[in-house]
Amino acid sequence: MTATETTVRWATICPLDRLMPERGVAALVGDVQVAIFRLHDGSVHAVGNVDPFSGAAVMSRGIVGDRGGVSTVASPIYKQVFSLVDGRCLDDADVSLPSYPVRVADGQLDVGLPW
Amino acid sequence: MLELVVIGNGMVGHRLVQALCDRDSAGTWHITVLGEETRPAYDRVALSSYVDGVSAEDLTLPSLTVDLHLGDPAVAIDRDTRRITTETGRVLPYDALVLATGSVPFVPPVPGRDLPGCFVYRTLDDLDAIKAAAADAVARPGAGRRSAVVVGGGLLGLEAARALRSLGLSPQVVEIAPRLMPVQVDEGGGALLRRLVETEELQVRCGVSVNGIAEDRGRLVATLSDGVELDADLVVFSAGIRPADALARAAGLPVGERGGVLVDNRCRTSDEHVWAIGEVAALEGRTYGLVAPGYAMAEVVADRLLGGPATMTPEELDMSTQLKMLGVDVASFGDAQATTPGALEVVVNDPVAGTYAKLVISDDARTLLGGVLVGDASKYAALRPLVGSPLPADPVALIAPGGVELGADALPDSAQICSCNSVTKGAIVHAIGDGADTVAALKSCTRAGTSCGSCVPLLKKLLIDSGVQVSKALCEHFAQSRAELFEIVAGSGIRTFSELVSRFGQGRGCDICKPAVASILASLGTGHVHDGEQATLQDTNDHFLANLQRNGTYSVVPRLPGGEVSPAQLITIGEVARDFGLYTKITGGQRIDMFGARVEQLPAIWRRLVDAGFESGHAYGKSLRTVKSCVGTTWCRYGVQDSVGLAVALELRYRGLRAPHKFKSGVSGCARECAEARSKDFGIIATEEGWNLYVGGNGGFTPRHAELLASDLDTETLVKLIDRYLMFYIRTADRLQRTAPWIESLDGGLDHLRAVVVEDSLGICADLEAAMEQHVGSYADEWRGVLEDEEKLARFVSFVNAPDTPDPLVQTREERGQRVPVALGLPGVGA
């Protein structure tokens, strides 16, 4: 996804320091569930919270890591690994999570959703 | 291009097309497939999993690029002009025609067999109809459980019975033969099988047939040949199959005496342009109702269509079966019924252990011809490939408990390692020689291990035997094995993942190495599993100290040491479950599980449980789960020791202990073994003299009995040995390796283990005991640890920006008076 600021609406989620490095949190924006992760290097990524393989809203509870240098999260249900950069499933090329832009303003974390 | 028409889109037809597409690099054939069902080809062997929630899509076989016409069966073959006419009037010319029409269920001609409520068990559509009828029956008002009659106690009948039971009905199986699975299993095995599957919810009647079915006040009544009348809401016929050969008969192709299109050793019919494979084909007059022979036929025809020389004989068609039937292992291979002239039978029948094993051997007692295994089929993978080969050891020792364990080196090159795909040991050794150095590589270049998977352990052994260096690397971040990492962490004093990965690994870890390191750190006693960076390493279960279920909710399991629980505690559990709307179930490990708790509810649930004196039962961890016990000398007339007291003491001693895999224990107060201690990772059975200690029993994918490590121990010695055994396991096993394969992997196996932990051959026992003492001394309840820490509590919210809003995707409905999850609709993949 290549959303830019002009095509998204920003929703303020929480203070950035509410996120623990290398663990995720779930957020509810309207009726969209988003999984947000703060990585070791300080970067923040947001993808869909619903695991495409089980239908359960659990992605925020997965283990964060990397595969071949790409930051990843593993679904806690059946353990498929997804890229945190663009939401692609690295175990199944036909599957991906939606990926959302994030920004930090005044210490608050915002997630951008498509209009 | 030549025209090939395949009539039939089942597993065998699909295999033929797949094999042909794989090999026809020159593009000789244009393939058209006609299917009677409107669905794409699916895995009919796994049909019963459909009632357990596996979707039709999951069962679908990989799609192939051919002209596929579904729901349009062939209705006529004109062999003179070589043309097929289909139901919709399509006319297809062919250069070669393959009949893969399979079979139709046999329904005995009894009055009433067409009544509403009578079904056959063959296709997904049949199962849809059965599911709907079962749901109607269960929903009908009135007391009592709904019942079903299954006509036929063969393989399929027992599967149907299991499926009906999981749909909420009580099945009664009626089998005309004097035993269950008469084709695969002999009398002794059938008797044990019957005893093992007979429960209150599944009754078996052998040696009787159904005389008629009648309607009675909206239900059905089946009258049996012995005069018994069985009430039923459904009747399912699974009394055998008949080759679907009507089309071939109409086209004038010769058929066998008992049906089936006659084919020669190339699977060719009397017409050189027409072939038949699978259940519709009769090779030397005989038909085959299993998928493996059908696959073998498909391979032969694929080869022939491309000018190859492949042939087959009935002797080469493998009729072996291995399955778990209603929780009971059953396997049958080779000449299981001892029909070879002069064949000898060797039987080990252990009704106490619930196992039956028979080998059929040649009249000179030198060659293995076949066998039957019921109750424990763990030796199937090693025995089946030996059929037709010289016996490598005394036949009794081959099937006796604790007897000879066969290695892959005992097998001749001609032995079939993978019977599903007819792959010999020779072919696998050859592939290894050509550079296949992993199980995955062997699977892709030989197809071995790609169907039922029972031969995968043998593939591994063959790889190791051939000297292939199987990588011990935990994952891409660590080149070390788990045991090596344990030594590094224990010896270096490193206590964080970050330091470990930066000094001894690379990258930032993954879902494989992080939980493994978390387990190592926990075994070394490094505080609460959520302290500091450790929190980031935990798998979701350990992160939320509860067991993740498929809809994203968790189960909560308080510890009930030894299965003992006071009335007041029972009331608390009931009240908590009621107040939070949790589904409650007593599990096989003597625990009460409460299912359906959402993340944000967990702390409130724990608060009530902890206040009532409960602790976390660690049902979520790779840790000690339960120590099961009978009632021992306290109440039982036969108990010779206090099994409850010992179970409670052991459970409290090892509570919270993290290991490479979850592990369980049991303590039986006498040899009657009511606690099933011999199916546990460590099990204790009381004797007149003290305790017998068994190790390495597992209830995983390949269940096995524990073996005796030491006998007649006093309690102090017993605990000391268990301390050493568990700590040695924790330090040296691979990630996710259960105790049974761990013991097997030790050079010298059980004898080596005994030398280390009983005789202290390595001089490490004092060290192992000290490590366990440290664990016992540092134990603290993990639930309480969260409740007492605001920072940890803050993680238990549904949404970071709406902490108390329940996950809207979690929905429940009521079933049998309790709340259960509504199956999650999957969102569009890739959306």
Side-chain angles (χ1 to χ4, degrees):
Chain A
M1 183 171 288
T2 54
T4 65
E5 287 202 30
T6 54
T7 62
V8 302
R9 61 194 156 102
W10 291 99
T12 300
I13 303 298
C14 64
L16 175 65
D17 59 17
R18 181 77 172 70
L19 270 64
M20 182 179 184
E22 302 203 287
R23 282 253 53 132
V25 294
L28 192 60
V29 185
D31 58 357
V32 178
Q33 291 201 32
V34 181
I36 308 168
F37 302 87
R38 180 176 178 180
L39 301 186
H40 186 252
D41 63 8
S43 65
V44 179
H45 299 270
V47 293
N49 193 37
V50 177
D51 172 18
F53 293 94
S54 63
V58 294
M59 293 309 304
S60 63
R61 307 179 212 159
I63 289 182
V64 168
D66 71 85
R67 184 183 281 185
V70 178
S71 293
T72 57
V73 61
S75 165
I77 301 246
Y78 300 121
K79 314 292 181 192
Q80 290 90 355
V81 172
F82 295 81
S83 161
L84 281 176
V85 180
D86 57 11
R88 259 180 327 124
C89 177
L90 301 182
D91 295 318
D92 185 339
D94 296 335
V95 178
S96 63
L97 294 170
S99 156
Y100 305 101
V102 290
R103 68 179 187 193
V104 178
D106 299 331
Q108 294 288 321
L109 175 72
D110 299 342
V111 169
L113 275 87
W115 274 109
Chain B
M1 242 185 177
L2 296 168
E3 290 294 329
L4 170 67
V5 176
V6 181
I7 303 181
N9 189 39
M11 297 175 78
V12 170
H14 185 270
R15 169 57 68 91
L16 166 75
V17 174
Q18 191 173 43
L20 193 59
C21 291
D22 283 354
R23 289 176 224 167
D24 187 10
S25 48
T28 315
W29 291 98
H30 171 254
I31 307 170
T32 306
V33 177
L34 300 175
E36 183 169 16
E37 290 180 67
T38 53
R39 306 179 192 259
Y42 55 87
D43 183 353
R44 208 184 298 277
V45 172
L47 189 65
S48 294
S49 64
Y50 188 53
V51 302
D52 301 328
V54 173
S55 69
E57 203 172 66
D58 293 336
L59 293 174
T60 300
L61 299 174
S63 64
L64 302 166
T65 38
V66 294
D67 282 335
L68 176 61
H69 301 293
L70 294 176
D72 189 15
V75 292
I77 304 169
D78 183 339
R79 293 202 281 128
D80 297 332
T81 62
R82 298 218 295 269
R83 279 168 205 281
I84 304 293
T85 311
T86 72
E87 198 170 76
T88 61
R90 217 184 293 262
V91 177
L92 300 165
Y94 66 82
D95 298 291
L97 170 66
V98 178
L99 300 170
T101 46
S103 62
V104 289
F106 167 66
V107 179
V110 297
R113 62 183 178 154
D114 295 328
L115 285 171
C118 292
F119 299 93
V120 295
Y121 196 89
R122 175 76 185 167
T123 64
L124 284 171
D125 289 344
D126 293 335
L127 261 63
D128 278 334
I130 289 171
K131 274 163 88 170
D136 280 354
V138 170
R140 216 169 286 151
R145 202 168 154 88
R146 306 299 164 217
S147 60
V149 168
V150 176
V151 183
L155 216 139
L156 200 60
L158 290 177
E159 280 226 17
R162 193 197 68 85
L164 290 165
R165 201 180 61 172
S166 50
L167 292 172
L169 304 171
S170 297
Q172 307 226 25
V173 176
V174 178
E175 167 58 47
I176 196 164
R179 60 174 183 273
L180 293 173
M181 291 181 73
V183 178
Q184 290 84 13
V185 174
D186 63 341
E187 200 179 320
L192 176 65
L193 176 62
R194 175 176 179 161
R195 193 162 68 76
L196 295 179
V197 303
E198 251 180 346
T199 63
E200 282 174 29
E201 290 166 22
L202 174 62
Q203 289 171 26
V204 176
R205 292 167 186 276
C206 289
V208 288
S209 56
V210 175
N211 281 359
I213 297 160
E215 263 178 315
D216 178 47
R217 282 162 290 177
R219 298 183 77 202
L220 298 170
V221 175
T223 307
L224 306 187
S225 56
D226 59 1
V228 169
E229 294 188 342
L230 300 177
D231 286 337
D233 296 277
L234 265 76
V235 175
V236 175
F237 288 98
S238 51
I241 52 171
R242 294 289 179 267
D245 57 12
L247 190 65
R249 283 174 194 262
L253 289 167
V255 295
E257 261 176 54
R258 306 176 64 181
V261 184
L262 287 175
V263 295
D264 61 15
N265 64 0
R266 299 164 290 177
C267 286
R268 220 187 58 175
T269 68
S270 63
D271 180 331
E272 63 171 322
H273 299 287
V274 184
W275 312 74
I277 55 176
E279 293 173 337
V280 73
L283 178 65
E284 295 187 10
R286 193 181 153 190
T287 55
Y288 297 83
L290 293 174
V291 76
Y295 278 176
M297 294 179 190
E299 298 284 343
V300 166
V301 172
D303 183 70
R304 286 279 168 180
L305 287 172
L306 296 173
T311 58
M312 64 194 325
T313 62
E315 292 72 42
E316 288 164 4
L317 293 182
D318 191 348
M319 295 299 285
S320 306
T321 39
Q322 184 199 16
L323 59 161
K324 206 171 180 69
M325 190 58 79
L326 295 149
V328 183
D329 276 326
V330 182
S332 144
F333 53 97
D335 182 11
Q337 308 283 8
T339 54
T340 308
L344 307 173
E345 297 180 56
V346 176
V347 175
V348 175
N349 190 358
D350 184 348
V352 179
T355 61
Y356 174 91
K358 178 179 85 170
L359 292 185
V360 178
I361 55 181
S362 60
D363 53 3
D364 60 359
R366 295 170 77 158
T367 308
L368 181 65
L369 300 177
V372 173
L373 303 168
V374 177
D376 173 12
S378 57
K379 296 200 166 167
Y380 171 76
L383 288 171
R384 184 195 43 75
L386 281 173
V387 170
S389 305
L391 284 164
D394 173 60
V396 177
L398 286 175
I399 49 176
V404 177
E405 289 291 333
L406 284 177
D409 52 342
L411 301 173
D413 269 2
S414 60
Q416 277 208 356
I417 299 294
C418 173
S419 65
C420 301
N421 298 288
S422 307
V423 186
T424 61
K425 176 183 166 187
I428 289 165
V429 171
H430 191 81
I432 294 172
D434 283 352
D437 58 357
T438 62
V439 170
L442 281 178
K443 280 182 171 179
S444 73
C445 72
T446 67
R447 248 204 210 127
T450 55
S451 295
C452 79
S454 70
C455 61
V456 169
L458 268 178
L459 297 182
K460 272 191 202 143
K461 278 193 179 140
L462 286 169
L463 278 169
I464 292 164
D465 289 354
S466 68
V468 169
Q469 284 291 324
V470 180
S471 171
K472 290 181 302 180
L474 197 55
C475 62
E476 69 174 80
H477 306 100
F478 287 100
Q480 302 85 347
S481 68
R482 181 189 174 280
E484 288 166 344
L485 279 181
F486 195 104
E487 289 307 316
I488 289 172
V489 175
S492 67
I494 293 175
R495 290 295 178 265
T496 68
F497 179 84
S498 287
E499 191 181 352
L500 186 67
V501 80
S502 67
R503 281 181 55 189
F504 293 93
Q506 56 180 334
R508 286 302 304 168
C510 64
D511 61 313
I512 293 170
C513 59
K514 280 183 165 178
V517 172
S519 163
I520 292 170
L521 291 173
S523 304
L524 290 167
T526 47
H528 195 276
V529 291
H530 293 171
D531 284 341
E533 195 200 55
Q534 275 194 74
T536 68
L537 310 179
Q538 310 295 344
D539 216 339
T540 185
N541 283 5
D542 279 305
H543 193 63
F544 290 103
L545 305 179
N547 209 339
L548 179 67
Q549 311 297 328
R550 62 190 304 165
N551 71 341
T553 62
Y554 290 83
S555 64
V556 177
V557 185
R559 173 178 316 291
L560 304 182
E564 204 172 58
V565 60
S566 72
Q569 288 178 316
L570 271 179
I571 289 167
T572 300
I573 290 177
E575 286 176 343
V576 168
R578 179 195 60 205
D579 294 350
F580 289 89
L582 305 176
Y583 167 87
T584 314
K585 184 178 190 314
I586 295 173
T587 60
Q590 297 183 335
R591 294 296 174 271
I592 301 173
D593 287 16
M594 291 175 269
F595 293 81
R598 299 187 309 268
V599 168
E600 74 276 14
Q601 295 178 315
L602 290 171
I605 292 170
W606 296 340
R607 178 88 63 195
R608 298 255 305 257
L609 293 170
V610 168
D611 285 348
F614 286 112
E615 294 185 337
S616 161
H618 286 91
Y620 46 85
K622 305 289 183 226
S623 53
L624 176 75
R625 291 296 176 88
T626 66
V627 182
K628 187 174 180 176
S629 76
C630 62
V631 296
T633 41
T634 314
W635 298 93
C636 175
R637 287 177 291 152
Y638 303 108
V640 293
Q641 305 281 352
D642 175 16
S643 59
V644 182
L646 181 66
V648 171
L650 291 176
E651 184 153 349
L652 295 179
R653 183 170 183 79
Y654 302 120
R655 62 190 160 173
L657 181 63
R658 295 296 201 287
H661 205 290
K662 66 178 178 183
F663 62 102
K664 300 180 190 176
S665 179
V667 184
S668 280
C670 78
R672 284 172 187 77
E673 252 286 65
C674 294
E676 292 154 321
R678 287 194 64 200
S679 64
K680 305 293 187 241
D681 296 277
F682 65 98
I684 297 114
I685 301 178
T687 70
E688 300 282 351
E689 318 294 326
W691 307 102
N692 282 356
L693 173 60
Y694 295 82
V695 294
N698 276 162
F701 280 112
T702 45
R704 52 171 297 162
H705 267 110
E707 293 176 281
L708 186 65
L709 185 74
S711 40
D712 296 332
L713 304 164
D714 60 70
T715 306
E716 191 191 339
T717 312
L718 172 80
V719 171
K720 206 175 265 192
L721 290 188
I722 301 172
D723 282 0
R724 297 169 179 177
Y725 162 71
L726 289 176
M727 215 25 103
F728 188 44
Y729 166 61
I730 288 169
R731 292 193 168 185
T732 61
D734 278 343
R735 169 186 166 268
L736 300 186
Q737 188 174 38
R738 289 176 185 260
T739 54
W742 168 67
I743 293 171
E744 233 166 68
S745 75
L746 296 174
D747 219 349
L750 184 67
D751 290 337
H752 176 67
L753 176 67
R754 191 177 289 117
V756 173
V757 303
V758 182
E759 294 144 27
D760 200 9
S761 62
L762 299 180
I764 59 170
C765 285
D767 196 22
L768 297 174
E769 286 172 37
M772 190 61 83
E773 283 306 334
Q774 198 204 336
H775 163 78
V776 174
S778 65
Y779 169 80
D781 177 34
E782 287 168 1
W783 286 353
R784 187 183 287 271
V786 170
L787 295 174
E788 290 172 351
D789 186 331
E790 283 303 323
E791 202 182 311
K792 287 172 186 155
L793 273 173
R795 290 178 202 144
F796 290 82
V797 294
S798 52
F799 298 104
V800 67
N801 58 344
D804 299 317
T805 305
D807 176 356
L809 290 184
V810 172
Q811 304 284 339
T812 59
R813 64 188 166 85
E814 190 154 302
E815 190 172 306
R816 294 186 295 276
Q818 294 210 61
R819 280 173 58 185
V820 297
V822 173
L824 288 168
L826 284 181
V829 160

